């Protein structure tokens, strides 16, 4: 059986399961559409939350980023993991106690203002749309390789699949689909990692294999990797970072951005009780840890496998002939995500850091520039092929990559849909809309969001994890401070909250647009995205933490010179902070 046929069986089989679950669990009311009826078991909700959380960025891009940047890019791992702990401890139980359908609804009621609710909707939509671009980009990468179609065709297929199970099932369908997707993606991620760890280190546990000896050379794996990348002009894989400020701010931006992402927060509205929200968070952390502890090993081993494929006799010896390149390179070349240009005409593949510092060594070796461009997003997906693993493993990771992308995309689209139908239409435009009408509006708005997300996925401002990092920055600067102040401060009023959200959002978005193009339109960037141009060396990906600080300062400053919140609001804050139990989520 051909590899394409195997991939097709795994991918179509998983899709059939998702759509079947969505049909079985289709939503019949707004409560089922928004919060799955409010009766999801904590363990199941923890598994669904993990799938919702572990997006294409986690499954596809995070290991690719760590593989490319080594220790310097471990910020993604630290920020996302730490942020989830922050969410579980500081926000989830209290928001569940409040008992509403959406994050903007909490902000609108807590800050007793429709305008605050509108601003929260705008922040949510901007963050979620930016995030969903990354998911659709990841889905397109996976489709283009494993179903052997063009990237844009893959994106359209992904959009159609999400349309069926998200529009039909709402949160109820998405919840049970995400449980299945978690099982698929975690098996797909860990099985290849076990095989590769055994091959390279003889240790079947990848996290332990990372710190074991390399079988072929007999030296520690990371030491071997450092030697290989150093001989090719790259910075040591385990090297420290020079810009500590940027690293700290980026990690902080990811952490508080995680805690402010509405598609994850909304999952805690689906459980019956406040205690269940806490248990859900704990179980989700366990399920997430399985992948996150494996990712650094996958990254390191993928980088070493890639370089030893190109330089089988070592980085100082001749590279392989292009005509003798392995099949996996040929396969990925067809997607355009691997590109080769024979710059010195020797017929061999030179892969190295084409920098001024390495130029003398490159000239001595007869190299005339780096000749192989490898998209970071393919490393995890290509890993089984690079390591010559069985065809069924390749098919499994194809299904896993798509499960990761589609599960998070569905959660984000639901957050966008509920913000439009529940917070805008029912909350302001037509408060007397019937439940049937609101459910129809939710489904239509989700369908429109899927079309927009698919189009944006065809024109992304970066690869999956970079785009996702931008979304986290936007959430960090706008939503997280408002939630924190709403729960823990009785003094912040409606004027302060609105001013803070706008200040955080605008400062962050403008800073991002300056370097990545206005509204992410290619060619419209005001400044080159280089460290020389960054304010105090702070990259656009790290600015969310600064935006959050601006949000807090403006909110407290404005609140201090305006009237205190009404007594009923201060009492509400007290009741949310000291939960004694809560009923089901409500739509008021």
């Amino acid at each position: 059986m051909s590899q394409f046929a195997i991939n097709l069986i795994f991918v179509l089989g998983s899709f059939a399961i998702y759509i079947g679950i969505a049909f079985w669990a289709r939503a019949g009311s707004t409560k089922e559409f928004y919060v799955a009826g409010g009766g999801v078991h904590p363990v199941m909700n923890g598994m669904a939350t993990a799938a919702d959380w572990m997006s294409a960025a986690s499954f596809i891009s995070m290991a690719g980023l760590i593989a490319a940047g080594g220790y310097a890019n471990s910020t993604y791992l630290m920020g996302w993991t730490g942020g989830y702990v922050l969410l579980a401890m500081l926000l989830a139980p209290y928001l569940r106690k409040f008992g509403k359908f959406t994050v903007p609804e909490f902000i609108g009621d807590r800050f007793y203002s429709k305008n605050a609710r509108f601003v929260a909707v705008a922040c949510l939509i901007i963050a979620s749309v930016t995030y969903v671009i990354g998911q659709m980009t990841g889905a397109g990468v996976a489709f283009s390789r494993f179903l052997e179609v063009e990237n844009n065709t893959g994106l359209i297929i992904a959009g159609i699949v999400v349309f069926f199970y998200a529009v039909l099932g709402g949160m109820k369908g998405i919840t049970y689909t995400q449980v299945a997707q978690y099982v698929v993606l975690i098996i797909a991620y860990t099985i290849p990692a076990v095989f590769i760890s055994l091959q390279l280190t003889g240790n079947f546990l990848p996290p332990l294999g990372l710190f074991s000896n390399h079988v072929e050379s007999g030296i520690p794996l990371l030491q071997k990797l450092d030697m290989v990348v150093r001989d090719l002009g790259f910075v040591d894989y385990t090297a420290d970072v020079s810009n500590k400020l940027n690293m700290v701010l980026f990690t902080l931006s990811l952490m508080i951005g995680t805690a402010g992402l509405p598609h994850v927060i909304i999952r805690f509205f689906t459980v019956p009780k406040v205690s269940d929200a806490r248990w859900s968070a704990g179980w989700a952390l366990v399920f997430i840890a399985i992948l996150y502890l494996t990712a650094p090993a996958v990254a390191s081993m993928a980088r070493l496998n890639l370089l030893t494929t190109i330089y089988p006799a070592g980085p100082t010896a001749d590279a392989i002939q292009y005509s003798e390149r392995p099949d996996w390179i040929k396969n990925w070349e067809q997607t355009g995500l691997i590109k080769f240009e024979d710059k010195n005409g020797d017929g061999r593949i030179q892969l190295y850091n084409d920098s001024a510092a390495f130029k003398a060594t490159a000239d001595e070796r007869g190299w005339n520039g780096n000749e192989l461009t490898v998209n970071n997003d393919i490393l995890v997906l290509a890993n089984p092929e690079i390591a010559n693993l069985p065809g069924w493993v390749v098919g499994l990771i194809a299904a896993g990559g798509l499960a990761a992308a589609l599960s998070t995309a569905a959660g984000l689209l639901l957050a966008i849909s509920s913000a439009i139908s529940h917070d805008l239409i029912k909350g302001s435009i037509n408060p007397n809309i019937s439940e049937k009408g609101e459910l129809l509006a939710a489904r239509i708005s989700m369908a429109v969001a899927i079309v927009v997300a698919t189009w944006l996925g065809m024109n992304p401002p970066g690869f999956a994890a970079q785009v996702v990092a931008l979304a986290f920055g936007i959430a960090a600067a706008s939503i997280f401070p408002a939630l924190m102040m709403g729960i823990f401060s009785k003094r912040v009023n409606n004027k302060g909250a609105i001013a803070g959200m706008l200040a955080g959002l605008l400062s962050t978005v403008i800073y991002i647009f300056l370097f990545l193009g206005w509204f992410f339109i290619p060619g419209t960037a005001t400044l080159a995205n280089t460290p020389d141009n960054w304010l105090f060396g702070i990259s656009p990906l790290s600015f969310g933490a600064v935006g959050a600080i601006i949000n807090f300062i403006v909110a407290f400053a404005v609140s201090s010179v305006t009237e205190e919140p009404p007594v009923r609001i201060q009492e509400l804050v007290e009741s949310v902070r000291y939960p004694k139990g809560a009923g089901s989520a409500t739509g008021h």
Side-chain angles (χ1 to χ4, degrees), residues 95 98 100 102-111 482-483 486-487:
L95 292 173
F98 197 75
K100 292 300 178 74
T102 67
V103 170
E105 191 172 16
F106 166 79
I107 291 175
D109 283 9
R110 160 58 184 88
F111 295 111
L483 293 176
I487 293 169

Side-chain angles (χ1 to χ4, degrees), residues 88-132:
M89 293 177 63
L90 293 181
L91 296 181
Y94 305 110
L95 292 173
R96 175 62 193 85
K97 169 66 173 75
F98 197 75
K100 292 300 178 74
F101 280 160
T102 67
V103 170
E105 191 172 16
F106 166 79
I107 291 175
D109 283 9
R110 160 58 184 88
F111 295 111
Y112 51 99
S113 167
K114 283 189 175 181
N115 289 335
R117 190 170 178 173
F118 291 157
V119 174
V121 167
C123 295
L124 182 151
I125 290 174
I126 293 170
S128 297
V129 168
T130 306
Y131 198 169
V132 86

Side-chain angles (χ1 to χ4, degrees), residues 516-557:
L516 296 179
W518 292 90
F519 302 99
F520 298 134
I521 298 171
T524 60
T526 305
L527 300 168
N529 189 20
T530 60
D532 294 342
N533 291 325
W534 297 343
L535 181 66
F536 302 116
I538 302 170
S539 85
L541 300 181
S542 307
F543 199 80
V546 179
I549 294 169
I550 293 171
N551 187 332
F552 278 115
I553 291 172
V554 170
F556 279 110

